[in-house]
């Protein structure tokens, strides 16, 4: 039972660690994407206290406004190209995030399978221990009756 608890704790710690690492990687990727977009559009300003999705939507809106307000088709083309690059970067980052989610789900599946296996082995050992206790009790009972029979025979032998 103690082994199962220890294994469960170890597995839960691994799941927590993997989840935490994935979250840190997602946050790092989001931060990197924000920095790239800010470099591409230094004139665009969006409050940083928003969630990433809200921030990205707001940034896109302000970048489009900035592009509409600028003069010169060359500058617009450059900004459109930068926006396209940023969008491609976002898509790549989303794919990477999905990959991490998939790996995490696979790891959790493996851990659940391992936990089931541990529980099955624990049940097998529990049955073996119960059988051993039963055998010990039977042997003790047999030993006790043999001792009693021996004492009875000794007593009869003294009488003869």
């Amino acid at each position: 039972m103690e082994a199962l608890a220890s294994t469960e704790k170890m597995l839960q710690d691994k799941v927590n660690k993997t989840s935490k690492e994935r979250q840190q990687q997602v946050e790092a990727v989001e931060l990197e994407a924000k920095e790239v977009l800010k470099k591409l559009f230094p004139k665009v300003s969006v409050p940083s206290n928003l969630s990433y999705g809200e921030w990205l939507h707001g940034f896109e809106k302000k970048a489009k406004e900035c592009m509409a307000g600028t003069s010169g088709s060359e500058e617009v083309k450059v900004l459109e190209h930068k926006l396209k690059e940023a969008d491609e970067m976002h898509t790549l980052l989303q794919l990477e995030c999905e990959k991490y989610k998939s790996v995490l789900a696979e790891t959790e599946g493996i851990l659940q399978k391992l936990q089931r296996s541990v529980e099955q082995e624990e049940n097998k050992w529990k049955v073996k221990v119960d059988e051993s206790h039963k055998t010990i009790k039977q042997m003790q009972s047999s030993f006790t009756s043999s001792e009693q029979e021996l004492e009875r025979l000794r007593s009869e032998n003294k009488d003869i």
Side-chain angles (χ1 to χ4, degrees):
M1 192 63 138
E2 201 171 294
L4 177 62
S6 173
T7 303
E8 285 179 348
K9 182 175 181 350
M10 179 188 70
L11 295 176
Q12 188 60 43
D13 289 346
K14 283 184 180 181
V15 167
N16 290 342
K17 180 182 176 190
T18 305
S19 178
K20 184 177 179 181
E21 287 174 355
R22 184 190 65 79
Q23 183 61 33
Q24 289 173 343
Q25 290 172 342
V26 167
E27 289 172 0
V29 166
E30 288 176 352
L31 182 63
E32 185 178 341
K34 282 183 177 181
E35 289 173 2
V36 168
L37 288 171
K38 286 178 183 179
K39 286 178 185 176
L40 293 173
F41 298 95
K43 295 178 182 176
V44 176
S45 175
V46 178
S48 59
N49 62 343
L50 301 174
S51 72
Y52 181 73
E54 293 170 337
W55 184 91
L56 190 61
H57 181 70
F59 192 92
E60 178 184 13
K61 186 176 178 181
K62 289 200 176 196
K64 285 180 180 179
E65 289 172 3
C66 181
M67 287 174 38
T70 59
S71 60
S73 64
E74 188 61 37
E75 188 176 338
V76 170
K77 287 180 183 179
V78 169
L79 292 176
E80 285 176 342
H81 178 69
K82 287 180 180 181
L83 183 59
K84 183 179 178 184
E85 285 178 351
D87 190 40
E88 289 171 357
M89 171 71 101
H90 180 266
T91 302
L92 290 174
L93 294 175
Q94 285 294 102
L95 290 174
E96 190 172 342
C97 183
E98 290 301 317
K99 180 181 108 179
Y100 287 125
K101 286 179 182 178
S102 172
V103 168
L104 181 61
E106 183 180 338
T107 303
E108 287 175 345
I110 291 170
L111 293 176
Q112 288 173 352
K113 182 178 178 184
L114 179 60
Q115 183 175 358
R116 283 191 302 271
S117 174
V118 167
E119 288 171 353
Q120 289 173 349
E121 284 300 313
E122 183 184 56
N123 288 335
K124 287 178 187 177
W125 279 103
K126 193 174 188 179
V127 167
K128 287 181 181 181
V129 166
D130 289 344
E131 288 174 358
S132 296
H133 283 303
K134 186 177 178 182
T135 303
I136 288 171
K137 284 184 180 182
Q138 288 174 346
M139 290 181 158
Q140 285 175 336
S141 175
S142 175
F143 180 74
T144 303
S145 22
S146 295
E147 277 186 326
Q148 290 172 351
E149 180 66 21
L150 179 64
E151 284 301 317
R152 186 186 64 77
L153 289 174
R154 280 185 183 163
S155 142
E156 284 180 11
N157 195 16
K158 282 183 181 178
D159 289 343
I160 296 180

